[in-house]
Amino acid sequence: MGFKEQIDLTRLPEHIAIIMDGNGRWAKNQGKFRVFGHENGVLSVKDIVEGCADIGIKYLTIYTFSTENWNRPIEEVNALMEIFISTINQETPRLTKNNIRLNAIGDLASLPQKCIEDLKSAMDKTANNTRCTLTLALSYSARWEITEAAKKLAQQAFDQKINISDIKEEDFSAQLTTRNMPDPELMIRTSGEHRISNFLLWQMAYTELYFTETLWPDFRQEDLFEAIVDYQKRERRFGKISEQLN
C-alpha cells in the first residue's frame, strides 16, 4: 500500500509550507550547471501542487526566492527570474483549469518589473479559484515581514488609532502577509538541511517540521504523501498533556 492510501483524509493539514532545497546539488550530481537543477525543480513544483490539490490541501506555500538569494551570482539570479517568468506564463492556464489560486508574499516591489507584471496578471486571472491556494514566497524574509508588521502597528499607535496596551497576538498576525490564510501545520524541507532559514518564523510557532534527504528535483507526490503520513502519526498537544486531548 502506497503512502497516499495511508492518509486519513479527515485529518489533513490545512496548510503545508515547503522549503525547496537541493536544486544546485542535484545539478552538480548530474554534472550540470545549477540552472539545470532549478529547471528540473519546476517539475517537482507542478507535481506537488497537483498532489496537494488532489487530496484536498487548501493552502500550499513554497519558499521560492529569499531575500538572501539576491546575494547569489548575478547569472544565477537572472536565470531564476527568467525561469520564474516563463513558468508563471506557461502554468497560469493549468492553474485555472485545476481551480487553483495563485498568491504571492514578500517584498514583491524588489522583483524585476516584468516579474511583477506577469505575477500580478496570473494572480488576477486565478483570483476566483477556490480548490487550493498556491502561495509563492518571493524576495521573502520572515524578519523583514515581522519588521514591516511592527512598523504598521507602531504607526497606528502613533496615529492614536490603537492603544499599545491593547495590542494582541491577533493584531500582529493581521499585519502579516499571510493574514488571509491559516498558519501552516506542516513544514517540509528537502535536501537534508535542518533549519527553517528565515521562513514564516511567526507563523511556524507550532508547525510540525519534516526534513528529508531527498533533493528537491527528486521530490514527488509519493514523498509528499509520506510526509503527511508522518505528520498524522504525531500528537499535537499545543502545551497540553496527552490526557487532555482525549
Side-chain angles (χ1 to χ4, degrees), residues 107-127:
D107 185 11
L108 304 182
S110 66
L111 296 171
Q113 188 60 35
K114 177 64 173 172
C115 287
I116 297 173
E117 293 172 358
D118 288 4
L119 178 61
K120 184 180 185 304
S121 174
M123 290 169 62
D124 289 343
K125 290 176 181 177
T126 63

Side-chain angles (χ1 to χ4, degrees), residues 136-147:
L136 308 179
L138 288 161
S139 193
Y140 176 85
S141 154
R143 289 183 173 180
W144 164 85
E145 180 183 34
I146 290 170
T147 300

Side-chain angles (χ1 to χ4, degrees), residues 144-197:
W144 164 85
E145 180 183 34
I146 290 170
T147 300
E148 291 300 305
K151 288 178 182 178
K152 292 175 183 177
L153 282 178
Q155 187 64 55
Q156 291 178 32
F158 180 80
D159 294 338
Q160 298 184 337
K161 294 180 179 179
I162 58 172
N163 294 318
I164 294 177
S165 59
D166 293 335
I167 295 176
K168 301 178 178 62
E169 287 186 14
E170 308 87 77
D171 300 313
F172 192 86
S173 293
Q175 308 304 317
L176 299 173
T177 59
T178 56
R179 57 187 169 274
N180 294 320
M181 66 181 80
D183 291 340
E185 292 98 335
L186 171 63
M187 190 285 290
I188 300 169
R189 180 167 189 157
T190 59
S191 87
E193 302 292 349
H194 292 74
R195 56 180 179 271
I196 55 178
S197 297

Side-chain angles (χ1 to χ4, degrees), residues 128-142:
N128 295 322
N129 296 342
T130 58
R131 187 182 181 194
C132 177
T133 296
L134 168 63
T135 298
L136 308 179
L138 288 161
S139 193
Y140 176 85
S141 154

Side-chain angles (χ1 to χ4, degrees), residues 41-246:
V42 171
L43 302 178
S44 294
V45 173
K46 296 177 184 179
D47 196 51
I48 298 309
V49 171
E50 291 180 2
C52 283
D54 181 48
I55 64 172
I57 302 298
K58 298 300 294 181
Y59 298 89
L60 171 65
T61 300
I62 56 177
Y63 206 0
T64 310
F65 192 86
S66 71
T67 53
E68 291 80 10
N69 288 154
W70 289 113
N71 296 318
R72 291 187 176 186
I74 187 62
E75 296 81 7
E76 182 174 352
V77 171
N78 289 339
L80 283 167
M81 292 300 130
E82 290 177 7
I83 292 171
F84 171 67
I85 292 172
S86 63
T87 301
I88 287 295
N89 291 329
Q90 291 172 11
E91 293 303 311
T92 299
R94 186 198 299 265
L95 293 174
T96 299
K97 179 181 178 181
N98 290 320
N99 196 20
I100 296 171
R101 183 171 74 94
L102 182 66
N103 183 39
I105 59 175
D107 185 11
L108 304 182
S110 66
L111 296 171
Q113 188 60 35
K114 177 64 173 172
C115 287
I116 297 173
E117 293 172 358
D118 288 4
L119 178 61
K120 184 180 185 304
S121 174
M123 290 169 62
D124 289 343
K125 290 176 181 177
T126 63
N128 295 322
N129 296 342
T130 58
R131 187 182 181 194
C132 177
T133 296
L134 168 63
T135 298
L136 308 179
L138 288 161
S139 193
Y140 176 85
S141 154
R143 289 183 173 180
W144 164 85
E145 180 183 34
I146 290 170
T147 300
E148 291 300 305
K151 288 178 182 178
K152 292 175 183 177
L153 282 178
Q155 187 64 55
Q156 291 178 32
F158 180 80
D159 294 338
Q160 298 184 337
K161 294 180 179 179
I162 58 172
N163 294 318
I164 294 177
S165 59
D166 293 335
I167 295 176
K168 301 178 178 62
E169 287 186 14
E170 308 87 77
D171 300 313
F172 192 86
S173 293
Q175 308 304 317
L176 299 173
T177 59
T178 56
R179 57 187 169 274
N180 294 320
M181 66 181 80
D183 291 340
E185 292 98 335
L186 171 63
M187 190 285 290
I188 300 169
R189 180 167 189 157
T190 59
S191 87
E193 302 292 349
H194 292 74
R195 56 180 179 271
I196 55 178
S197 297
N198 203 6
F199 184 44
L200 301 177
L201 297 179
W202 175 275
Q203 298 87 338
M204 290 203 294
Y206 273 101
T207 300
E208 298 294 328
L209 308 181
Y210 179 88
F211 301 102
T212 173
E213 297 290 330
T214 303
L215 301 177
W216 179 248
D218 290 327
F219 194 86
R220 290 295 187 269
Q221 287 185 18
E222 189 68 4
D223 302 292
L224 168 70
F225 299 149
E226 181 178 5
I228 294 173
V229 169
D230 180 88
Y231 161 85
Q232 292 186 335
K233 292 178 180 177
R234 303 184 188 187
E235 184 179 70
R236 308 190 73 212
R237 296 189 296 274
F238 299 99
K240 299 179 180 179
I241 62 174
S242 299
E243 290 74 11
Q244 289 178 291
L245 303 178
N246 298 324

